[in-house]
Amino acid sequence: MGQISQRFFIVSQNKPNILYIMADDHAVKAISAYQSRLKSVFTTPNLDRIAEQGVRLNNCCCTNAICTPSRASILTGQYSHTNGVRTLSDTLDSTANTFVKDLQSNGYRTALFGKWHLHCEPKGFDDYLVFPGQGQYFDPKMVRKGEANWPNREQQASTPNRGHEFDTYVQYPEGQKYEGYSTDIITDECIQWLNTVDKGQPFILMCHFKAPHDDFEYHPRYEHLFDGVEIPEPSSLWEDKSHRSDGSRKFGTTVSETNIRRNAVRIMTQSDYPTGTLNVDNLDSKGRTKAAYQKYLKDYLRVVKGIDDNVGRLLDQLRTLCLDQNTLVIYTSDQGMFLGEHDYIDKRWIYEEALKMPFLARFPGVIPSGLVLDNVVNNIDFADTILDFAQQPSLKGSQGRSFKGLLLGDALARDTWVNESYNRYWMHMAHHDNPAHYGLRTLDYKLIYFYGRPLDVSDAESYHTPTGWELYDLSKDPNELCNVYNDPSYAQVCQSLKQRLREKKDQIGDSDILYPELTEITDNLYYQG
């Protein structure tokens, strides 16, 4: 055990309180503690406070970069194919084991406020107030525990047609209208609940913001936040994707008009775009792209500003109630988000901007201040880690592992940690034109296979897209601008990663052999290049 962790293990013998704050689609680069290009024009002082007083993870990854599946994986510690939530329209089994249920059964008081989006009634919570579905930014309808009947899983499964990003085909209780702005409302409810806690009983409070999910409806108080400010562009906004495989090159929702069907220029000039219509009259193609990028980033960051202000309110309330010293505070998101990188908006891809989740944590006297970790951890690891801090055994059925030792600054835990992440996106070409794919990320490399098939997923388009492999040397090319899959000098690396990818898929129960159609196109490819 490292010297740092020995010093911190002995501090707190009591079960800690846990404040788990999760945003929706919050990009790592939109938090100034992560030192991105945006820090020169936008800061998040309250989120930075958590990082400064605790730990920042640089390589926290999701296993399926889309909202509902990621949330299910966080709760169950399981990959999407195991817990059955592979797409936005899949429903979490309300009888599934979750770390919240374990905490509740072991004496924790439990509460959830905000976005749930798992299509079933939240279980394991003493109190909840959640959106019925995605939720609205202004005057949202919300469902409080005990005030509505939820449809069962069989009813959800029999709902006709494919699921939709905005819950068109999913059944929910109607809920009651709450006046105001959703980020403020959720925080108000959390603060009111904190005021009722019994300091003799540990609690977990899950604060789930809807923001900054599209359509980026910011509060009017942030209207002038970026007056006279030009947001720096990522160099990859103008990326030449000729290095890419056929499997990815021409797909995804873009900022520019490269994708005629789904792009920011088209979306933000439509009359129903909520924060005003983008005026691109008399601009050439490059001018339209630059204007759409500025509009997109400013709207997105205005929404993030609302999160940061409200996180500050929560941290201040902990201090006011003298709860801050025995409370583990975690801030994260359900996945990342593209902010113009690779000419993309949205998430879904295995590329870094969508794959990476922010993860900041603070626990005074237990987690060292200012700790920065590069180890690769996954959202399926959250459940066991939280239970470990609560002095409880691992979650039954979990495929994750506790990274508590990493957060304590334990050098041995850091040096022996297996740094890899398996990611799979199932919703082939649905909603945002992203082809189905899977891949493996290590500290230094990322191998991706675009298999371009919907397989047995209903929330996907039926047609096929080209297959293709991609390999990125993250140590030399962290922005993934050079696919080296066909570079002979990487042949050995490529073959080693293919072997490990196949082993990983077999190990976790996601083998291609489960899909004969997929096996036909992958069997030989694993042994090529």
Side-chain angles (χ1 to χ4, degrees), residues 17 23-24 28 31 58-59 76 100 138 170 185 190 242 244-245 256 261 278 299 302 306 321 333 393 417 449 505 528:
N17 304 311
D24 190 326
V28 164
I31 298 175
N58 287 337
N59 291 309
T76 64
V100 178
F138 289 95
V170 178
I185 293 168
C190 288
S242 61
R244 291 273 197 92
S245 72
S256 72
R261 193 170 78 92
L278 177 67
D299 287 357
R302 288 183 181 109
L321 297 172
S333 179
W417 185 261
Y449 182 58
K505 288 172 66 63
Q528 297 175 3

Side-chain angles (χ1 to χ4, degrees), residues 255-298:
V255 180
S256 72
E257 294 157 308
T258 300
N259 185 333
I260 301 302
R261 193 170 78 92
R262 293 284 302 181
N263 62 75
V265 176
R266 180 176 182 180
I267 294 168
M268 295 182 179
T269 55
Q270 293 176 342
S271 60
D272 60 350
Y273 187 75
T275 62
T277 302
L278 177 67
N279 184 356
V280 294
D281 293 345
N282 303 316
L283 295 177
D284 60 13
S285 177
K286 185 173 183 178
R288 292 192 295 272
T289 298
K290 294 175 79 69
Y293 170 80
Q294 291 295 320
K295 174 65 172 169
Y296 171 37
L297 265 290
K298 288 180 179 180

Side-chain angles (χ1 to χ4, degrees), residues 199-408:
K199 293 183 180 179
Q201 180 185 16
F203 66 79
I204 179 169
L205 170 59
M206 303 188 78
C207 173
H208 288 193
F209 294 121
K210 169 187 171 59
H213 192 282
D214 63 19
D215 287 320
F216 320 119
E217 297 179 61
Y218 54 84
H219 194 283
R221 63 180 177 261
Y222 303 120
E223 175 69 33
H224 300 289
L225 183 63
F226 294 107
D227 286 358
V229 174
E230 181 172 351
I231 307 298
E233 296 173 357
S235 59
S236 61
L237 177 61
W238 311 101
E239 178 184 354
D240 177 359
K241 294 192 176 73
S242 61
H243 69 96
R244 291 273 197 92
S245 72
D246 290 341
S248 74
R249 186 182 300 117
K250 297 181 180 180
F251 304 111
T253 301
T254 57
V255 180
S256 72
E257 294 157 308
T258 300
N259 185 333
I260 301 302
R261 193 170 78 92
R262 293 284 302 181
N263 62 75
V265 176
R266 180 176 182 180
I267 294 168
M268 295 182 179
T269 55
Q270 293 176 342
S271 60
D272 60 350
Y273 187 75
T275 62
T277 302
L278 177 67
N279 184 356
V280 294
D281 293 345
N282 303 316
L283 295 177
D284 60 13
S285 177
K286 185 173 183 178
R288 292 192 295 272
T289 298
K290 294 175 79 69
Y293 170 80
Q294 291 295 320
K295 174 65 172 169
Y296 171 37
L297 265 290
K298 288 180 179 180
D299 287 357
Y300 180 90
L301 294 175
R302 288 183 181 109
V303 176
V304 172
K305 174 63 173 170
I307 294 175
D308 188 70
D309 287 347
N310 278 284
V311 167
R313 293 177 61 204
L314 289 168
L315 297 179
D316 291 346
Q317 189 66 13
L318 287 179
R319 186 173 61 244
T320 297
L321 297 172
C322 299
L323 294 169
D324 53 323
Q325 294 302 303
N326 194 41
T327 299
L328 168 64
V329 177
I330 294 172
Y331 183 86
T332 188
S333 179
D334 46 6
Q335 64 270 319
M337 189 76 166
F338 288 97
L339 301 181
E341 298 87 4
H342 306 291
D343 189 23
Y344 289 145
I345 65 174
D346 199 62
K347 56 267 185 179
R348 302 168 189 261
W349 294 104
I350 195 175
Y351 301 121
E352 291 290 273
E353 290 80 9
L355 179 70
K356 282 187 179 180
M357 311 159 67
F359 191 98
L360 311 171
R362 181 191 80 179
F363 192 178
V366 178
I367 295 176
S369 298
L371 183 64
V372 178
L373 295 171
D374 291 325
N375 295 87
V376 178
V377 304
N378 296 282
N379 58 352
I380 61 168
D381 299 328
F382 289 10
D384 282 357
T385 302
I386 290 172
L387 290 174
D388 199 358
F389 272 101
Q391 302 173 32
Q392 293 179 208
S394 296
L395 182 64
K396 183 179 180 181
S398 171
Q399 295 174 292
R401 49 192 169 149
S402 171
F403 55 92
K404 177 182 176 182
L406 297 178
L407 301 184
L408 297 179

Side-chain angles (χ1 to χ4, degrees), residues 81-99:
H81 65 276
T82 302
N83 61 37
V85 184
R86 299 177 295 174
T87 75
L88 287 175
S89 62
D90 291 326
T91 300
L92 178 67
D93 186 344
S94 61
T95 66
N97 291 326
T98 69
F99 74 84

